[in-house]
């Protein structure tokens, strides 16, 4: 009984974070800020949803922990690859940006 | 000798994963798991690990166990931070790319530092060249390399250094 409630709370938190993540992708001004919202919120959202499912169904708990762990390890790598690729493609930073030391390095 | 230790370490990790994924403790399952993980580890150990069994000292396992909840806690803070910026009507961001230095030597160390930076408040790793990390920071506080290193990666490196070296 209690594991049902606790698991569903975790899933609810995960869904809220996933929603905020997609809202962030919609509102942010450029690729890099969108990636910020995208990676952080989807990682924790998916993590929390998967662990919540594991708590509702105790025989899946360890499996879901392993899946969540791999997600934690691979999701940032994907974000890093997208960010680097779009910088090399020449996608500009937003006009609000204050500093770009990566670009300065390249010009030298 | 070193290769045998690398091979055994890979096999142990694979066997633990096998036990978790099959979810049974019958002797048949366990024997099949031992055989399969030993054979698979033979082909994959050279990509998987460099230090082998030296990774399994109690101190390192302890640091790993400490580090994981700490990372989760930082992730929750990161999410609340991003959520606040997304919901706020004025979108209070001040983005920029800064570079920082890392003290980690090994590839695994750099990977973990870069991943941790990506998952924590307002920062994500754009590129790595040797010991320089380029970080996209959603709220730039300083452009000085030293200070930025301290603010962004200092806390992780203290823990990760003990875990890896």
């Amino acid at each position: 009984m209690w594991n049902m409630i606790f698991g569903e709370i975790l899933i609810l938190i995960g869904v809220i974070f996933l929603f905020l993540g997609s809202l962030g992708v919609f509102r942010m001004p450029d690729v890099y800020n969108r990636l910020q919202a995208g990676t952080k919120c989807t990682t924790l959202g998916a993590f929390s949803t998967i662990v919540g499912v594991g708590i509702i169904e105790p025989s899946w708990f360890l499996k879901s922990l392993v899946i969540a762990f791999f997600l934690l390890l691979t999701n940032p790598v994907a974000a890093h690859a997208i960010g680097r690729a779009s910088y090399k493609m020449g996608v500009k930073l937003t006009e609000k940006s204050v500093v770009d030391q990566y670009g300065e390095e390249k010009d030298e | 000798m070193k290769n045998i230790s690398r091979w055994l370490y890979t096999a142990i990790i694979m066997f633990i994963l096998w036990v978790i994924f099959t979810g049974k403790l019958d002797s048949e399952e366990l024997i099949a798991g031992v055989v399969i993980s030993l054979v698979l580890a033979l082909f994959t150990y050279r990509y998987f690990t460099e230090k082998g069994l030296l990774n399994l000292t109690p101190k390192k396992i302890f640091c790993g166990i400490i580090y994981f909840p700490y990372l989760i806690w930082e992730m929750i803070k990161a999410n609340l931070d991003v959520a606040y910026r997304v919901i706020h009507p004025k979108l209070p961001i001040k983005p920029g790319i800064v570079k920082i230095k890392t003290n980690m030597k090994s590839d695994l160390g750099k990977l973990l530092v870069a991943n941790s930076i990506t998952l924590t408040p307002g920062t994500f790793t754009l590129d790595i060249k040797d010991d320089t990390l380029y970080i996209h920071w959603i709220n730039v506080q300083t452009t000085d390399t030293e200070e930025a290193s301290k603010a962004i990666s200092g806390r992780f490196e203290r823990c990760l250094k003990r875990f890896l070296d």
Side-chain angles (χ1 to χ4, degrees):
Chain A
M1 186 61 210
W2 280 107
N3 63 346
M4 281 295 273
I5 295 172
F6 192 56
E8 274 168 19
I9 290 174
L10 271 183
I11 292 178
L12 184 70
I13 294 174
V15 171
I16 291 172
F17 276 128
L18 285 173
F19 169 73
L20 286 173
S22 42
L23 192 68
V25 170
F26 183 68
R27 285 201 68 197
M28 290 294 184
D30 70 349
V31 176
Y32 310 99
N33 290 307
R34 285 182 176 161
L35 271 177
Q36 294 259 14
T39 45
K40 288 187 220 314
C41 292
T42 51
T43 310
L44 190 68
F47 186 87
S48 159
T49 313
I50 291 170
V51 174
V53 170
I55 287 173
I56 290 179
E57 198 75 35
S59 60
W60 296 353
F61 183 65
L62 278 177
K63 284 180 214 182
S64 65
L65 267 193
V66 171
I67 295 170
F69 178 72
F70 281 128
L71 195 78
L72 208 65
L73 210 60
T74 51
N75 217 347
V77 179
H80 158 76
I82 296 171
R84 186 160 172 269
S86 46
Y87 199 97
K88 302 232 151 145
M89 285 278 291
V91 179
K92 292 274 184 298
L93 291 168
T94 174
E95 279 164 13
K96 277 183 171 179
S97 304
V98 286
V99 61
D100 179 7
Q101 292 181 337
Y102 189 41
E104 286 165 16
E105 195 87 346
K106 266 195 185 155
D107 295 336
E108 281 164 16
Chain B
M1 195 59 212
K2 198 168 175 228
N3 284 348
I4 291 175
S5 128
R6 283 164 76 188
W7 172 46
L8 281 179
Y9 174 70
T10 316
I12 289 170
I13 301 284
M14 283 183 172
F15 182 65
I16 292 172
L17 284 179
W18 171 279
V19 171
I20 291 173
F21 277 128
T22 54
K24 290 189 196 123
L25 287 173
D26 306 343
S27 55
E28 294 150 23
E29 293 271 2
L30 291 185
I31 291 168
V34 169
V35 173
I36 290 176
S37 50
L38 282 177
V39 173
L40 274 183
L42 196 59
F43 294 111
T44 52
Y45 73 85
R46 74 199 67 176
Y47 310 111
F48 187 73
T49 175
E50 280 176 6
K51 284 196 185 151
L53 289 174
L54 289 176
N55 283 332
L56 285 180
T57 57
K59 201 176 112 194
K60 288 190 177 174
I61 295 175
F62 181 71
C63 276
I65 291 172
I66 296 273
Y67 181 67
F68 195 58
Y70 178 64
L71 183 65
I72 304 257
W73 170 241
E74 288 290 325
M75 269 171 66
I76 294 172
K77 279 204 304 199
N79 274 276
L80 293 177
D81 181 66
V82 171
Y84 163 73
R85 286 178 206 284
V86 167
I87 292 174
H88 198 286
K90 279 193 189 139
L91 215 61
I93 55 173
K94 199 175 130 195
I97 297 174
V98 297
K99 62 176 178 183
I100 66 170
K101 297 269 178 208
T102 176
N103 297 319
M104 308 304 287
K105 298 280 185 303
S106 62
D107 285 347
L108 181 65
K110 283 178 199 163
L111 171 78
L112 285 176
V113 166
N115 269 6
S116 306
I117 286 171
T118 302
L119 288 174
T120 50
T123 48
F124 95 91
T125 315
L126 209 59
D127 201 356
I128 301 183
K129 269 181 210 145
D130 300 328
D131 64 342
T132 311
L133 295 166
Y134 294 92
I135 309 288
H136 183 269
W137 201 351
I138 206 168
N139 185 19
V140 177
Q141 288 155 12
T142 167
T143 54
D144 184 65
T145 306
E146 291 272 307
E147 279 177 40
S149 310
K150 215 177 277 173
I152 294 174
S153 68
R155 327 163 262 177
F156 297 115
E157 292 202 354
R158 251 178 290 139
C159 191
L160 281 174
K161 254 205 132 40
R162 257 175 278 162
F163 173 49
L164 289 165
D165 299 332

